[in-house]
Every structure is written in C-alpha cells, then in structure tokens.
Amino acid sequence: MNTVYVVGTCDTKGSELRYLRDLIREAGCDAVLVDVSVSEFHKEAADVDAQPSEVARFHPTSPKPEELKDRGKAVAAMSEALVEFIRSRTDVDGIIGAGGTGGTALIAPAMRALPIGVPKVLVSTVASGNVAPYVGPTDISMMYSVTDVSGLNRISRVVLANAAHSVAGMVLNKVSVADDERPAIGLTMFGVTTPCVQAVTGALEADFDCLVFHATGTGGQSFEKLADSGLLIGGIDVSTTEVCDYLVGGVFPCTADRFGAFARTRLPYVGSCGALDMVNFGAMDTVPSQFRSRRLHVHNPQVTLMRTTREECNRIGEWIGERLNLCQGPVRFLIPELGVSAIDAPGRPFHDPEADSALFAALERTVRRSDKRQLIRVPLHINDPEFAELLVTNFKEALREH
C-alpha cells in the first residue's frame, strides 16, 4: 500500500488533518495521521495513528518537563523528535502537513530529512513569503493556505483538497529512474559560466546523467545534499560563486558547510573559480548603501552584480583553499587565468587582472597539494572550449582514482 504520513497539531488543526487523511484514503493511498501537538492540556484522540507521546520518545536527549513549559522550546523539541520519528519509518511514500508559523517550523525539518523524490507537501499560512528557511535544499512543495488553517470553510476545503490530491497523485504516479543506467554527477552553473557547463555536459551526457544546479545559494546546497545522500558519483563544481555572497554579504550565499559533502563522502571533486568575480544583489535600488560606490553591473532588472575587490578575492581564495584541504578524496581545482566569468575578460565590465591574481595567489598559498589534491593553472578563459575539455579530462581521471 502506498502510504502518506499526515502530520500536524491535532489540538488546533484536527478537523483539517482528518479531512486531508480521509481524502488521501479515498484517492487510493493509506494514510497515517501523526499528531505533534505540544499543549499540556491536549487529550489524545483514538483515531490518531501516532500520538504526541510516541513521537516525543524519539527526541535525542529527552528534554525535562519544565523545559517544555515554554511553547517555543516545546515546538523546537517536538520538531527534533519528529525528524527522528520520520527517519525511523520504513513506509513513508509521501508526507503532507498543514499549519501556521509554528506548525510549519515544526514539520518542515522532518520533510527535509527525507530523500529527494519522496513527495512532500506543506500547506502553510506563510507559503506566500520567503520559504527558503523551510524548503532549504529539498523538494518540498509549499502551498499557501489563503485563509488561516483554522477550521474547514469554503476556501480551506478547496485548498486542502488540492493539497491532498496532489500528494496522493505524486505517490500513485511515481516516475521510475531505474531505466537510466547512467551514473549521476552534479555540476554547478551560473549565467556567466553557462558556455563552460554546457560544453562539459555535452561531452559527458552520453555516459553520465548530468544534474546541473543553479548556483544561487540553495542550488549549491542541493548539489551537496545529493552528494551526501549517495545519489552522485562525483561533482564538477564549475561555479563556486556562492562563496562570494557568503563572505561579502550578497543574496545568494552558500553556508559554512560549502564543500563539506565532498569532505565527508570523499567523492571525486573537480572545481573551478566560476563567477568568483561577483557578489549578487537584487534590483539596483536594493544594493546596500556601503556598496553603492563600487563597480556595479545590471545583469537584469532584478539582479545587480558587484565586482569583488582584490582584498575580497584574497579572502575568497583562502576560504575555498581551507575547505578543499578538508577533502581527502580525489580533488582537482582548475584556475582559468584569463577570466572567471563571461564579464571578466578584456573590454568586459568586470575585467580586473589584479583582483583575479589575488584570488589565484590565495588559492596557491592555501591549498595543500598532493597527488590526490591538485591545483591546476591554465592560460585559458573559463568559457573557452579547451577549458571545458580539461574539466572533463580531470573528472575522468579523478573517477579512476576513486
């Protein structure tokens, strides 16, 4: 039986959660109702499949009762327990939840803990805002509830029914990837490194399933989550630009764990300096005041780029170098001496050989080179066809070493 877990706080959302459960069952799936209520006055209901007390037992450290009198702490503790509870289940074919700010924050981490591809639908009052903290690098589908998740009415019935039928439809109509025998590899791309990445995928796609991730902060996290999940056999990290936003303060930052998946898994890694010449902001009027006098370039009406300085490039190179030193698997990091993006070339807006030189020198100074960890400088631009060929050659060599 295809099983969908229906998760929420039955003390305040009981009618909505049972409505979801019943619709999912009518659609042809089994449904497991999981109650994650944290109210000390909540009475457990007989028709709930997993009671709050059962879920709470999965908390890693079992908080003391007095610590849970604060609602915020209680929600955080139940969220941690729910992650472990869901991880312990072997029959989660899909998951759906519904809630306001508290319920969304409680349920989302458990959804993120599930593998990519397991259907995840979260009906939320905050789904029309910034959902990055809830979705992260995963494939959670968030649906705006329109009205509050507070009882059934002519609007909530329709929205919740759509959500129930969507998760049931995903579970009942799984797409099999078993027919694709090619191993998967991950690549990172930015608009200004597109020619390079397209040339690499063109050279490899006959033998590998090439998964390209847009280097917008979350894209890099998704790239590494798949590596951590054992779904990739290696990575070609052309566009490490998210590091610039992380260190300087742009809108597409990586996290402190960038490159961490390859350190943990020792998977073959080939990287480069793609778009390390830029920090990203929104429309021009959103650029912070301290950066208004810097070299700026309007990429499109919604994206403004700022050229990284010599000092910033030095920091970026050192940071990347230290992270690469943690990687014990086969590592090849290629430096394109003639430019790191489409607009870092003679006559282009971000051409700055001195800044690039500072970046390259910092990498050379920081990376501890060995037979497995190599830093390779070449007199090419990142978008030259020959550079893409070198990436392909080095990736194949790294695979043979693994």
Side-chain angles (χ1 to χ4, degrees), residues 135-335:
V135 176
T138 69
D139 57 343
I140 296 174
S141 298
M142 289 192 70
M143 180 180 290
Y144 181 48
S145 60
V146 184
T147 60
D148 199 354
V149 185
S150 180
L152 294 172
N153 55 58
R154 67 182 65 189
I155 301 298
S156 64
R157 280 190 180 90
V158 173
V159 173
L160 291 170
N162 287 340
H165 293 141
S166 69
V167 73
M170 286 187 266
V171 169
L172 293 170
N173 295 278
K174 297 187 182 85
V175 175
S176 174
V177 295
D179 294 338
D180 193 341
E181 298 179 353
R182 297 173 301 166
I185 61 173
L187 305 94
T188 54
M189 186 170 79
F190 219 43
V192 290
T193 62
T194 298
C196 175
V197 177
Q198 287 183 336
V200 171
T201 56
L204 291 174
E205 61 187 356
D207 300 311
F208 301 94
D209 189 10
C210 297
L211 313 181
V212 179
F213 298 87
H214 194 191
T216 56
T218 306
Q221 292 175 56
S222 298
F223 166 56
E224 297 207 33
K225 181 176 176 62
L226 290 189
D228 266 331
S229 301
L231 298 176
L232 303 179
I233 64 162
I236 304 180
D237 195 6
V238 174
S239 311
T240 46
T241 182
E242 297 161 329
V243 176
C244 301
D245 288 40
Y246 174 68
L247 294 178
V248 181
V251 297
F252 294 149
C254 62
T255 69
D257 190 48
R258 189 67 166 90
F259 308 97
F262 291 91
R264 288 185 288 273
T265 63
R266 302 191 176 193
L267 288 173
Y269 173 88
V270 175
S272 190
C273 309
L276 291 181
D277 57 331
M278 60 187 64
V279 178
N280 293 266
F281 298 106
M284 181 64 81
D285 60 3
T286 69
V287 176
S289 57
Q290 67 267 32
F291 297 133
R292 292 287 175 87
S293 61
R294 294 276 296 273
R295 194 192 309 187
L296 302 174
H297 174 71
V298 177
H299 182 64
N300 63 48
Q302 302 304 320
V303 176
T304 305
L305 309 176
M306 180 179 76
R307 208 331 171 166
T308 46
T309 64
R310 183 187 182 104
E311 293 73 24
E312 290 163 351
C313 283
N314 182 68
R315 286 174 56 212
I316 291 163
E318 289 180 346
W319 195 88
I320 291 175
E322 292 292 355
R323 298 298 294 169
L324 293 177
N325 288 338
L326 300 176
C327 300
Q328 302 301 314
V331 172
R332 305 283 189 278
F333 199 86
L334 277 64
I335 295 176

Side-chain angles (χ1 to χ4, degrees), residues 270 332 334 374 376 389-399:
V270 175
R332 305 283 189 278
L334 277 64
Q374 298 180 22
I376 305 167
E389 292 172 9
L390 283 173
L391 289 170
V392 170
T393 299
N394 277 273
F395 181 70
K396 290 181 177 178
E397 289 177 358
L399 273 181

